[in-house]
Amino acid sequence: MAQDQRKQRTKRSGSPSGLTAAVETINEQSLKVFLWMEGRRRNSMATVVVPSMMRDLTDGAEFVTVEGSTLKEVVDDLDRRCPGMKDRLIGEDGKLQPHIAFFVDGVEVKGRHGLLASVSESAEIVIVPALSGGSGRALRL
Amino acid sequence: MAKTEYRAIGTRSIRPDGYGKVTGRDQYGPDVVLPGMLYARVLRSPVPHAVIRSIDVSKAAALEGVKAIVTGDDFPKIESTEKIDSGEESIEARFMTALAMAQEKVYYEGQPVAAVAAVSLSVAQEAIDLIEVEYEELPVVDNVLDAMKDDAPLIHGDLYTESLEGRGDKPTNIAGHVQHVRGDVDAGFAESDIVLERSFKTKMVHQGYIEPTNSTAYWAPDGKVTVWCSTQGPWDIRGQVATILQIPVGKIKVVPQEIGGGFGGKFTAYLDPVAALLSKKSGRPVKAVMNRTEVFKATGPSSGSYIELKIGAMQDGTIVAAQAFLAFEAGAFPGSPVGGASVTGLSPYAIPNLKIDGYDVVTNQPRSKAYRAPGGTQAAFAVETLLDELAEKLDMDPVDLRLKNAVEPGDRMVNGVPYPSIGFKEVLEAVKAHEHYRAPLEGRHVGRGVAAGFWMNGSGTSTVHLTFNPDGTVNLIEGSPDIGGSRASMALIAAEELGLEPEEIRPTVTDTDSVGHNDGTGGSRVTYATGTAVYRACQNAISELKKRAAKLMDVDEGDVEFVKGRFSSKQGSGESLDIREVIRRLRETGGPFEAQGVTAGLKMAPAFGVSLCDVAVDPETGKVDILRWTQFQDVGKAIHPSYAEGQLQGGAAQGIGWGLNEEYIYQEGRMLNASFLDYRMPTFLDLPMIETVMIEVPASDGPYGVRGVGEVSIVPPPAALANAIYRAVGVRMQELPMSPERVWRKINESSAQNGVVPQAG
């Protein structure tokens, strides 16, 4: 099922609208490079490390591979692959839940960039349970 | 590639604020005096849990000299459950006001119920004594184990357990549950050659900062509020005051004063909103300063805890499984450091199978706050004493046992986050190689103990501005309150990069209106994150100064290079300009400019430390005397070695106090020892010279390989002391503090069981 969803997403994520017009004036080689990079960006696969208390949504898996170039896209794709994730990660106000932190390639992003944080190709995103005490904004573990 | 030889970094320069400190001329929070200023006193609840039936302020209001009175009714009622940053931790908005002023209920002894501003402190004190409060007392829960019982009185009727599984379905005192699982812990224990299981208790302790909590506020007629206070987090205070008083942050300016210690405990707006509202009512500035009893009862100590720990290992010392249950006293409102404890205790070791459950539990005690490596000390007390016992059972050297299992870069912390560059093994090797570790112990009932500690260290956001003076000197404007000598470190970084002398850099810690956002001074983050901002500001300054130098030398900007404080032409024209000359002539080259450096999002730069101590125990009294202490730590790069060493020594001293004497003693929710006479902190008479050994394993991110040094040194001392006591008199201490009475009782229990007084190890 996850594979099917990924194909659908890949299919949906073809050339962005307006892209063709924008590149008509550049040469063919540049176009190929641009499309290759855009394709890599859009088809990047990140790995999410899932904490134990959320593995009931992943059939026990600790690692889940997802697509997305921002944390929001990653969460959306994670929810597609593992339904129910979004409800656990995002509050009713649309913000990240207060008792959760994200580390993207070793850098904590919660509270600073939040859902708009960039996720690089092949990034590793660790979801960390974060009780508030003794580990606030500067250090939320 | 990072430089490895420096001209300023690593030197022991005179601290820029040294004169004010040693002459007493610096202005700390309680020193603030403003024209027309009033003095405030706060009436505090004598009962730990009650409904406030009524507050009658009429007699106080009639007293001559009283200018304003506030109670909970004067504060906005906040229902929001949004988490508000409070420095190293956060707190739900709905609970925040209660730390400044009770509304309807009191949850702990010492909680504020009213405040008075008067023309003098004595009048204010007389006035609060005239306020009559009627309480309807409620059942009290003052320790974590009682609070977790199924039939425990509920402190809040609407508190549910939060966890990654969602929200609990019934009200409880267990506010939060955090869990970390790796591998199959049951299979790991089944596979183990040896399994040890013990339980541990620690008591609530206070940071013990010398300068009491304070605030002076002025609410101007135009609605702008200025707060002068000593705080670790001016921006945190601003945000909390805004939330509690429901006014925009843009109307609040926080002016940090010199600070007489914080250690995690000076991030919270206890007095600031009270002083501000009293100022609004009176139209005059109002100063409020706690006395020591108020500091103990009404600010935020670190949690007491109950920990169960089970470790399984193979005969060769390989740890294959570990399981921990941690329950922490949050105090009246959720937010104990059990999250940090759950991560730090077992993360130093590469254990394939583990399960950790941490519980945040509310009690009728003051709401806990961060204290230097929050949660780390409690967790390490359990882990590091059990490892010592494991080493003994396996007949292994305790450092070898740790080396065999120590994490390396790329291993994961228990929460799954991979380690960047770390130096745990290097620290352990340094311990083994140190003369102290091999020195003979002489005398009866003496023992040597060793224990390790880990802290993640923070980074966060920092903003720094550089401006330039016509005499060639540089102003360094920062927003990180200087608690441990950070002005000196910032000056050294700027001097290093700009090719100036440290004395030519003028660091100033400014207010929230005058520099961009800065997270607070906590989480061992300032030298790392603010230092990185200084480094970046210098690079930006050099970039602009190159343009100015190019004009002065009449060469293309691209031809200018900057080496060791001089700008010169790459073309080899021979002309070069000292940076001071370029700064002096800014008016000729386009006028003044300002360089900014911002840090937001560095990788973690975790710290590991080890305590090594020798003790002598008097079996007849249980008193523990420390004979020798050496503190080891990976500091990444010591920017100012004296202040890095000071952090190691200070953390060790506080850890010794935590280990041997300090505790909140409660009776039905009432603290019995709320003074420095009865709350026994160590003095210099209790401590030997604390030797330090700094190991420099560069961090992965930031300049020079620097990593924070402020916190981890408090983590291992209690465990090291417990291990030393065991080797001195043969008893395993599993409860803090290891006061003479507890050690004496343990010795006597052991004697009763074994029929002999334990002998020296």
Side-chain angles (χ1 to χ4, degrees):
Chain A
M1 184 176 174
Q3 284 287 343
D4 293 341
Q5 288 174 336
R6 189 162 64 242
K7 284 177 184 172
Q8 289 170 12
R9 177 168 168 74
T10 305
K11 190 176 178 181
R12 283 200 304 272
S13 62
S15 297
S17 61
L19 174 65
T20 305
V23 299
E24 276 179 354
T25 55
I26 56 179
N27 63 46
E28 187 177 350
Q29 187 61 30
S30 297
L31 177 60
K32 284 181 180 176
V33 171
F34 180 85
L35 289 176
W36 176 77
M37 292 177 66
E38 181 68 7
R40 272 179 61 87
R41 188 181 74 80
R42 289 184 169 268
N43 291 310
S44 62
M45 300 294 285
T47 301
V48 176
V49 182
V50 180
S52 57
M53 295 180 93
M54 298 181 80
R55 291 178 203 159
D56 58 320
L57 302 178
T58 66
D59 291 333
E62 185 177 0
F63 301 95
V64 177
T65 304
V66 295
E67 295 176 348
S69 59
T70 66
L71 203 52
K72 181 178 185 308
E73 291 178 7
V74 164
V75 171
D76 286 343
D77 195 41
L78 186 62
D79 191 61
R80 275 191 286 273
R81 293 165 194 273
C82 311
M85 278 284 184
K86 200 168 182 175
D87 288 343
R88 301 259 188 104
L89 296 171
I90 310 291
E92 292 177 0
D93 58 0
K95 297 178 181 176
L96 295 171
Q97 291 279 16
H99 51 277
I100 291 169
F102 287 84
F103 277 76
V104 176
D105 289 332
V107 177
E108 198 229 332
V109 297
K110 186 183 186 333
R112 248 188 353 269
H113 311 297
L115 289 168
L116 297 179
S118 297
V119 176
S120 65
E121 293 175 17
S122 307
E124 181 182 89
I125 300 135
V126 185
I127 302 173
V128 175
L131 289 184
S132 71
S135 45
R137 181 176 55 210
L139 189 64
R140 197 185 304 266
L141 293 179
Chain B
M1 180 175 286
K3 289 191 292 186
T4 53
E5 292 184 5
Y6 306 104
R7 45 178 295 283
I9 298 296
T11 63
R12 298 174 188 259
S13 59
I14 301 295
R15 61 190 295 168
D17 51 323
Y19 178 80
K21 292 288 190 299
V22 300
T23 60
R25 291 182 185 278
D26 272 349
Q27 179 168 288
Y28 290 78
D31 298 329
V32 173
V33 176
L34 297 171
M37 187 178 79
L38 302 175
Y39 298 83
R41 287 294 295 151
V42 175
L43 179 65
R44 298 179 181 280
S45 172
V47 298
H49 195 195
V51 173
I52 300 173
R53 284 295 173 210
S54 63
I55 302 178
D56 183 352
V57 301
S58 56
K59 292 177 184 170
L63 187 68
E64 186 176 348
V66 170
K67 300 297 182 184
I69 299 175
V70 294
T71 69
D73 289 342
D74 294 292
F75 287 77
K77 183 73 178 169
I78 298 171
E79 305 288 347
S80 170
T81 59
E82 183 183 359
K83 292 279 181 74
I84 305 296
D85 281 315
S86 180
E88 293 186 89
E89 36 82 37
S90 58
I91 183 170
E92 287 185 26
R94 63 177 172 146
F95 297 136
M96 191 177 285
T97 303
L99 301 180
M101 191 61 66
Q103 294 173 304
E104 300 171 9
K105 261 188 83 175
V106 291
Y107 296 90
Y108 57 94
E109 181 199 25
Q111 190 173 355
V113 293
V116 174
V119 293
S120 73
L121 206 52
S122 58
V123 172
Q125 181 64 48
E126 189 179 348
I128 64 167
D129 291 342
L130 294 172
I131 296 174
E132 295 171 356
V133 184
E134 184 184 356
Y135 299 99
E136 178 186 328
E137 292 198 48
L138 298 170
V140 174
V141 184
D142 65 4
N143 70 81
V144 66
L145 291 178
D146 285 349
M148 293 182 81
K149 289 177 180 171
D150 288 339
D151 59 350
L154 293 180
I155 294 174
H156 304 274
D158 57 351
L159 189 68
Y160 300 83
T161 306
E162 296 280 356
S163 76
L164 291 187
E165 289 179 332
R167 191 181 192 214
D169 57 5
K170 60 176 184 179
T172 173
N173 292 327
I174 302 172
H177 174 204
V178 64
Q179 185 184 73
H180 305 291
V181 174
R182 178 190 298 159
D184 183 337
V185 75
D186 292 331
F189 285 125
E191 178 192 343
S192 300
D193 291 331
I194 179 172
V195 176
L196 297 178
E197 187 171 7
R198 301 285 180 265
S199 61
F200 302 85
K201 289 181 182 175
T202 73
K203 293 296 180 68
M204 202 166 246
V205 296
H206 199 273
Q207 300 87 352
Y209 38 78
I210 298 300
E211 178 204 33
T213 308
N214 59 83
S215 183
T216 303
Y218 178 56
W219 194 308
D222 63 0
K224 292 178 181 169
V225 179
T226 304
V227 177
W228 297 263
C229 62
S230 56
T231 173
Q232 294 174 251
W235 280 261
D236 297 288
I237 295 295
R238 187 181 69 168
Q240 292 167 54
V241 171
T243 300
I244 292 169
L245 299 180
Q246 296 288 285
I247 54 178
V249 291
K251 290 197 170 186
I252 304 167
K253 178 167 79 171
V254 176
V255 187
Q257 306 300 296
E258 291 299 324
I259 180 169
F263 314 107
K266 280 191 184 159
F267 275 110
T268 304
Y270 296 108
L271 293 174
D272 315 274
V274 179
L277 267 191
L278 288 169
S279 175
K280 184 181 184 183
K281 278 196 166 186
S282 65
R284 293 162 65 170
V286 175
K287 177 163 79 173
V289 181
M290 291 189 189
N291 62 33
R292 185 58 55 181
T293 296
E294 291 176 297
V295 171
F296 274 118
K297 292 184 177 180
T299 63
S302 188
S303 299
S305 70
Y306 173 75
I307 299 173
E308 292 176 1
L309 181 64
K310 184 177 177 183
I311 289 180
M314 306 307 290
Q315 197 61 41
D316 69 353
T318 303
I319 302 172
V320 290
Q323 186 166 5
F325 167 96
L326 305 97
F328 273 50
E329 292 163 354
F333 309 106
S336 76
V338 72
S342 301
V343 171
T344 55
L346 289 163
S347 280
Y349 305 104
I351 304 171
N353 305 291
L354 55 82
K355 184 180 182 191
I356 300 165
D357 289 282
Y359 295 90
D360 182 39
V361 183
V362 293
T363 55
N364 291 119
Q365 293 168 294
R367 202 276 198 174
S368 66
K369 287 287 172 180
Y371 179 17
R372 211 167 190 160
T377 304
Q378 294 97 321
F381 175 60
V383 171
E384 296 293 319
T385 53
L386 197 54
L387 286 184
D388 194 72
E389 189 173 348
L390 179 63
E392 183 203 14
K393 305 273 191 215
L394 295 173
D395 197 23
M396 280 186 78
D397 177 279
V399 176
D400 284 339
L401 175 69
R402 288 169 174 84
L403 268 169
K404 188 172 188 63
N405 295 283
V407 287
E408 299 176 330
D411 287 337
R412 291 180 186 274
M413 295 162 53
V414 298
N415 60 6
V417 176
Y419 280 109
S421 168
I422 52 173
F424 188 27
K425 287 195 169 181
E426 288 82 349
V427 171
L428 291 169
E429 294 285 3
V431 175
K432 280 196 74 178
H434 198 274
E435 173 271 334
H436 183 178
Y437 197 60
R438 299 187 304 276
L441 272 169
E442 296 176 355
R444 295 193 68 205
H445 307 305
V446 296
R448 176 168 295 148
V450 65
F454 160 63
W455 188 244
M456 298 82 81
N457 284 350
S459 57
T461 301
S462 290
T463 308
V464 166
H465 296 174
L466 298 179
T467 62
F468 305 90
N469 301 317
D471 62 355
T473 59
V474 177
N475 302 315
L476 191 162
I477 316 297
E478 57 170 320
S480 299
D482 180 357
I483 301 182
S486 58
R487 286 185 186 93
S489 298
M490 299 306 107
L492 284 173
I493 292 171
E496 180 72 38
E497 295 308 314
L498 299 176
L500 295 168
E501 296 304 317
E503 299 77 28
E504 294 174 294
I505 310 294
R506 287 192 56 160
T508 298
V509 179
T510 192
D511 61 71
T512 52
D513 276 7
S514 303
V515 70
H517 179 90
N518 282 269
D519 288 338
T521 298
S524 300
R525 63 171 293 278
V526 170
T527 305
Y528 184 49
T530 307
T532 298
V534 172
Y535 176 88
R536 291 174 177 171
C538 290
Q539 304 314 311
N540 291 333
I542 291 167
S543 178
E544 177 63 23
L545 289 169
K546 276 183 178 177
K547 297 176 186 173
R548 307 303 183 94
K551 286 185 180 178
L552 293 172
M553 293 191 292
D554 196 22
V555 298
D556 289 339
E557 180 189 328
D559 286 342
V560 177
E561 63 180 0
F562 179 70
V563 179
K564 294 182 179 177
R566 294 195 75 83
F567 295 93
S568 58
S569 169
K570 297 176 188 173
Q571 304 304 320
S573 64
E575 184 180 6
S576 71
L577 286 172
D578 187 274
I579 187 172
R580 299 170 185 82
E581 177 75 6
V582 181
I583 292 172
R584 276 196 287 266
R585 298 173 65 182
L586 285 179
R587 294 181 69 178
E588 298 173 43
T589 57
F593 75 96
E594 179 177 292
Q596 189 184 62
V598 176
T599 305
L602 294 172
K603 284 187 176 179
M604 281 197 311
F608 288 87
V610 168
S611 295
L612 175 63
C613 66
D614 300 344
V615 304
V617 182
D618 182 346
E620 293 187 356
T621 64
K623 184 171 187 300
V624 176
D625 286 318
I626 300 170
L627 305 176
R628 186 175 179 184
W629 195 285
T630 308
Q631 194 71 25
F632 300 77
Q633 189 171 318
D634 171 21
V635 301
K637 175 66 187 173
I639 301 298
H640 194 302
S642 297
Y643 300 132
E645 290 163 354
Q647 292 292 333
L648 270 62
Q649 292 168 322
Q654 290 188 307
I656 290 167
W658 198 333
L660 293 183
N661 290 108
E662 294 181 41
E663 63 178 313
Y664 273 47
I665 300 172
Y666 271 102
Q667 188 175 68
E668 288 294 306
R670 290 171 170 85
M671 187 182 182
L672 302 181
N673 60 331
S675 76
F676 274 148
L677 184 65
D678 298 314
Y679 181 93
R680 176 79 164 79
M681 290 185 74
T683 69
F684 74 95
L685 294 173
D686 300 302
L687 301 174
M689 177 64 190
I690 296 170
E691 301 169 52
T692 58
V693 177
M694 297 192 292
I695 297 94
E696 294 188 330
V697 177
S700 302
D701 213 346
Y704 322 117
V706 64
R707 62 179 82 227
V709 299
E711 291 175 289
V712 76
S713 52
I714 200 175
V715 176
L721 285 164
N723 298 338
I725 291 169
Y726 173 73
R727 283 175 171 73
V729 289
V731 293
R732 288 278 177 198
M733 299 301 296
Q734 282 141 358
E735 184 170 357
L736 295 182
M738 297 173 287
S739 58
E741 180 183 346
R742 282 202 182 88
V743 174
W744 181 82
R745 287 186 186 282
K746 194 85 174 183
I747 290 172
N748 280 275
E749 286 170 16
S750 176
S751 305
Q753 289 171 5
N754 302 328
V756 293
V757 173
Q759 297 301 304

